[in-house]
Amino acid sequence: MTDTTIATVGELIAALAAYDPAAPVRLATESAEFMDHTIGRVVCTPGDNDSDCVLPNDAPVVRISTGDSSCCLPDSAADALGWS
């Protein structure tokens, strides 16, 4: 599997364009347990004021929060993400 990082809103929109807009969407997280989460709020805030981030301090950053934990991530999804 090729590791792909989405770094911009445009890259995220392009990655999602191939899928049915009515399909459910979840954030998959890799931690002690692989989990599926609904998407919470989407906000745009200034970059890192503490200067501990590689982003310029004054650059606006779109942040996507996790919502409710929906369930454990299915093995097929973990495989597709290259986590198994």
Side-chain angles (χ1 to χ4, degrees):
M1 169 174 183
T2 304
D3 183 31
T4 302
T5 300
I6 294 173
T8 67
V9 171
E11 290 172 352
L12 177 59
I13 291 168
L16 293 173
Y19 302 103
D20 179 350
V25 64
R26 299 288 183 270
L27 292 175
T29 59
E30 183 181 21
S31 57
E33 259 187 88
F34 301 144
M35 295 295 295
D36 258 352
H37 299 270
T38 58
I39 293 178
R41 295 183 63 198
V42 177
V43 298
C44 186
T45 62
D48 185 5
N49 293 330
D50 296 329
S51 299
D52 62 353
C53 185
V54 297
L55 296 170
N57 289 341
D58 58 348
V61 178
V62 173
R63 302 182 194 281
I64 302 171
S65 69
T66 58
D68 295 329
S69 177
S70 131
C71 61
C72 291
L73 189 68
D75 290 342
S76 59
D79 288 345
L81 291 165
W83 293 347
S84 52

